[in-house]
Amino acid sequence: MLTCKDATRLMSESQDRPLSVSEKLQLEVHLAMCRGCSNFREQMNFLRLACRRFMQRRNGDDDGSSSS
Amino acid sequence: MLKFAQLQLRDAALAEDAVQEALVAALAGERSFSGRSALKTWVFSILRNKIVDLIRVQSRTTNVSALGDDEADMDATFEALFKDNAHWRPEARPFGWGDPAETLREERFWEVFETCLNHLPEKTARVFMMREFLEFETDEVCRELSLTVSNCNVILHRARNGLRRCLEGSWFAPGVSAC
């Protein structure tokens, strides 16, 4: 059984490499039962989205800013 | 652009040089641009390369994988989120952050986001920003900084959790202001 601590590592690594079938399976089973970890996953997705948006704001959409 | 370079390099003078060099290189390039945003994208891609060069040089003189006090503190804070059986302590269990689109529209959120990025220890932040802002593949980040893949994974996990905790404390939980 995957622990929450292990699950957070897998969720972070899933943003850096494709997980193996067995890792994915273990993670999905865990997430189905664990509210905290499914929130953690959404938070990781949010971080990635925020980083992308942050770059878009820096890169062209920041006309109003005095520093560019 | 300057702010962006400073965030990455954590060195005002280096950042100014990098931006200046990028602008000069872009103007010397004699390319034609359909508009202001095309020019910006072009300058930005030059700046990205300059930042990477500087990081490469810095990483030769500092040991990125060495664990500093700040990193050790972050790891201790992370461990404290869990009970002995490695499941969440009830009070530390991650909660829902609501509608992401709504949050990302808030100007104030971006100030908090930058503050939280600046709170990350320097080396941790560097690895994270190479991955998420400069969009390197993880194995490229490892190679550039001479890190093992597992070390890279540990650092990225530390950075993401640190950022997550900071945002949770300073933005998503009303009334709490400490990072």
Side-chain angles (χ1 to χ4, degrees):
Chain A
M1 254 321 270
L2 210 58
T3 64
C4 294
K5 204 191 283 185
D6 293 336
T8 68
R9 293 194 202 288
L10 279 185
M11 286 186 273
S12 174
E13 284 181 34
S14 74
Q15 299 203 327
D16 300 315
R17 66 173 174 92
L19 298 182
S20 73
V21 174
S22 123
E23 284 171 330
K24 259 189 219 161
L25 198 66
Q26 289 187 63
L27 186 59
E28 289 308 324
V29 169
H30 181 90
L31 288 175
M33 299 183 305
C34 180
R35 179 90 231 159
C37 283
S38 34
N39 285 336
F40 185 95
R41 167 144 79 179
E42 275 170 29
Q43 295 178 355
M44 289 295 106
N45 292 341
F46 174 85
L47 281 186
R48 171 132 307 166
L49 184 66
C51 287
R52 296 275 179 277
R53 193 63 56 79
F54 182 81
M55 286 305 285
Q56 286 163 6
R57 286 165 59 90
R58 286 276 149 268
N59 189 5
D61 298 337
D62 57 350
D63 280 20
S65 125
S66 56
S67 62
S68 57
Chain B
M1 240 172 227
L2 188 57
K3 220 155 112 193
F4 177 72
Q6 274 170 359
L7 204 57
Q8 303 269 318
L9 297 166
R10 302 256 172 126
D11 182 322
L14 265 185
E16 267 176 44
D17 288 350
V19 171
Q20 210 157 38
E21 280 175 37
L23 286 170
V24 170
L27 292 174
E30 287 189 29
R31 274 178 49 163
S32 59
F33 297 98
S34 49
R36 218 182 137 193
S37 96
L39 175 64
K40 270 194 163 177
T41 307
W42 172 236
V43 175
F44 201 85
S45 69
I46 297 175
L47 179 62
R48 178 185 184 273
N49 291 333
K50 297 257 174 240
I51 292 175
V52 173
D53 285 344
L54 289 167
I55 288 174
R56 216 177 265 144
V57 172
Q58 283 180 339
S59 74
R60 275 194 217 113
T61 53
T62 57
N63 184 356
V64 185
S65 63
L67 195 71
D69 289 348
D70 291 345
E71 284 88 353
D73 280 352
M74 287 179 78
D75 288 355
T77 310
F78 175 70
E79 292 297 327
L81 299 176
F82 300 95
K83 297 183 288 195
D84 289 342
N85 65 3
H87 292 281
W88 299 106
R89 283 181 191 285
E91 69 277 13
R93 195 178 293 134
F95 54 82
W97 283 359
D99 178 14
E102 211 170 283
T103 305
L104 297 175
R105 269 199 300 272
E106 299 242 23
E107 266 324 295
R108 265 275 298 142
F109 168 77
W110 294 106
E111 289 169 29
V112 175
F113 187 69
E114 270 185 50
T115 307
C116 285
L117 281 170
N118 275 318
H119 268 279
L120 290 177
E122 185 172 340
K123 293 175 205 162
T124 304
R126 181 161 303 150
V127 175
F128 179 75
M129 289 195 265
M130 270 184 92
R131 173 74 184 116
E132 300 293 339
F133 292 160
L134 304 179
E135 294 190 32
F136 280 88
E137 291 303 324
T138 310
D139 54 350
E140 292 177 292
V141 179
C142 306
R143 210 177 325 120
E144 293 289 350
L145 300 177
S146 315
L147 295 169
T148 64
V149 173
S150 73
N151 218 321
C152 245
N153 287 337
V154 169
I155 295 172
L156 286 168
H157 177 266
R158 185 184 293 133
R160 290 186 180 119
N161 192 61
L163 207 50
R164 177 188 86 77
R165 293 271 301 156
C166 182
L167 291 175
E168 195 160 76
S170 354
W171 178 262
F172 292 103
V176 186
S177 62
C179 256

